[in-house]
Amino acid sequence: KYGNLKLGPDDEPPQYSFVTWFSMLFSAGVAVGLFYYSVAEPVWHYKGWGGARWAHSVKGYGNDNEDATHALMITWYHWGVHGWIPYTTMGAVLAIMSHRRGFPMTIRYIFWPLIGERCYGWVGDAVDILSIMTTIFGVCTSLGLGAMQVNQGMQRLDHGFYRGKNYAIPSDAKYADPTCGGTGRTCAVGLESYGIQTNVGTQIGIIICITIVATLSVISGMDRGIVNLSRFNFSLGMALLLSVLFLGETYFCLDAVVQAFGYYLWYFLKVAFQTDAFERLGKSAMGL
C-alpha cells in the first residue's frame, strides 16, 4: 500500500531508475561510513572496547564465538532499521514539502506545519544554520575517517603488506622501521621511512583530492557529475564486496551473515529499548 505512494507529483514519472537512485543514496549517504565501520565496528565490539556487556570476559561465561556473533549483531543494529530511520524521515519530509507542497528544499520548510510563517523569520534561519552546521560536522567526520582508511590502504599496497609482512620494502638496514614517518613517530638515527606514510600530510592530500573530485561532480550537474560518480562508486563497492566474498572464506561469510541476522531479529526489541538505566547508577562499591 504505502510502497506505491509517490513523493513527487502524481503525473510525473521518476527522473532516475531504481538502480541509479540507490547508487546515489549509497554514495551520498553511507558509503564512507559503511566501508570504515563495517570492519572497525565489529572488531571494536568483539574486543570489548567501550564496555561491551556481552563479552564473556565481562559477563563471566561464553566464548569468543559468541562475542563475535554479538559484535556483528550490534553492527547490524546500528546500520539496520534504526540507522535508516533518520535518513528516511528527513528524506520523506523534505520530498513532500518540496515536490508536493512547492517549498524550496531546505530544512526550515519541513517545520511549516508546526511554525507556519515563522519559517521566513529568524526561527527558520536558525533551523537552516543548525542543519548546515551539523551536516558539515557529519561530512567532515566521515571524510576524515575515510581519508585515514585510504591512507592506510595506500601504505599497505605501497609496502606490499600481506599477512603481517612487508614484501615490497628493500632489505637495506635503513628501512628496518619503514613506517617510522607516521603520525606521532620519529625515525631513529640511521633509519628512514619508506614510501607512503600514514600521517597528517598524506591525509590532507587525500582530502584535497577527494574535495576536488566532489566539487567537479557538483559543478558538472546532477545528470553528468553526481549520477555517474555515484554509479562508479557503487560499482566499485560491489566489486570489492564480491571480491571479499568469493576470494576469501565464502561459506564462512555467508554463515556469519545468516547467523548475525538471526541474532539481530532475536535481539531487535531488547537492544532497541536498552537505556542503561541501572548502569547509570554506578558500581555497587559506590553504595548505589
Side-chain angles (χ1 to χ4, degrees), residues 242-257:
L242 294 176
S243 297
V244 172
L245 177 61
F246 291 112
L247 296 178
E249 296 289 341
T250 304
Y251 285 110
F252 167 75
C253 291
L254 295 175
D255 289 341
V257 168

Side-chain angles (χ1 to χ4, degrees), residues 1 3-4 28-29 38 55 62 84 121-122 130 140 159 171 201 214 216 232 237 247 250 258 260 284 287:
K1 177 181 177 181
N4 294 324
S38 62
W84 277 97
W122 69 267
L130 181 62
C140 288
H159 290 187
S171 58
L216 292 175
F232 174 76
L247 296 178
T250 304
V258 173
S284 58

Side-chain angles (χ1 to χ4, degrees), residues 14-94:
Q15 188 173 357
Y16 303 102
S17 66
F18 177 81
V19 175
T20 298
W21 167 80
F22 187 82
S23 298
M24 290 190 288
L25 185 69
F26 174 85
S27 299
V30 299
V32 174
L34 188 60
F35 275 97
Y36 183 87
Y37 284 107
S38 62
V39 177
E41 186 171 347
V43 173
W44 172 274
H45 295 311
Y46 173 71
K47 299 296 289 187
W49 298 325
R53 64 180 61 84
W54 62 79
H56 73 276
S57 60
V58 176
K59 63 185 182 182
Y61 61 91
N63 53 50
D64 290 337
N65 294 341
E66 292 182 359
D67 291 351
T69 304
H70 277 86
L72 290 173
M73 178 271 295
I74 290 295
T75 304
W76 277 66
Y77 167 72
H78 287 158
W79 293 88
V81 173
H82 292 81
W84 277 97
I85 287 175
Y87 285 103
T88 54
T89 301
M90 290 297 296
V93 177
L94 271 173

Side-chain angles (χ1 to χ4, degrees), residues 104-282:
M105 190 173 285
T106 58
I107 303 298
R108 70 170 71 194
Y109 294 107
I110 70 175
F111 292 96
W112 178 267
L114 299 177
I115 63 177
E117 295 290 338
R118 281 179 288 181
C119 285
Y120 298 109
W122 69 267
V123 176
D125 294 337
V127 170
D128 275 350
I129 292 172
L130 181 62
S131 66
I132 292 171
M133 296 301 296
T134 52
T135 300
I136 291 175
F137 295 152
V139 171
C140 288
T141 301
S142 298
L143 182 57
L145 293 173
M148 293 168 60
Q149 186 178 26
V150 171
N151 188 187
Q152 186 68 51
M154 291 172 62
Q155 183 192 67
R156 292 196 172 199
L157 288 174
D158 185 49
H159 290 187
F161 184 87
Y162 180 70
R163 292 189 174 182
K165 184 176 180 180
N166 296 317
Y167 288 91
I169 296 177
S171 58
D172 197 320
K174 65 181 180 180
Y175 297 130
D177 187 9
T179 61
C180 62
T183 299
R185 303 190 60 195
T186 55
C187 295
V189 177
L191 297 181
E192 296 181 10
S193 61
Y194 178 82
I196 298 174
Q197 298 295 300
T198 304
N199 53 36
V200 175
T202 305
Q203 291 161 14
I204 290 176
I206 293 172
I207 291 175
I208 291 174
C209 292
I210 293 175
T211 303
I212 291 174
V213 172
T215 303
L216 292 175
S217 174
V218 173
I219 293 175
S220 300
M222 180 71 75
D223 294 328
R224 293 182 57 192
I226 296 177
V227 167
N228 292 323
L229 184 60
S230 297
R231 289 169 177 166
F232 174 76
N233 287 341
F234 185 72
S235 300
L236 198 62
M238 291 301 100
L240 178 61
L241 173 66
L242 294 176
S243 297
V244 172
L245 177 61
F246 291 112
L247 296 178
E249 296 289 341
T250 304
Y251 285 110
F252 167 75
C253 291
L254 295 175
D255 289 341
V257 168
V258 173
Q259 186 168 297
F261 184 66
Y263 269 64
Y264 171 62
L265 295 178
W266 180 258
Y267 284 97
F268 187 85
L269 292 178
K270 178 181 179 180
V271 176
F273 285 91
Q274 175 68 31
T275 59
D276 286 340
F278 291 96
E279 287 79 0
R280 295 178 188 275
L281 296 178

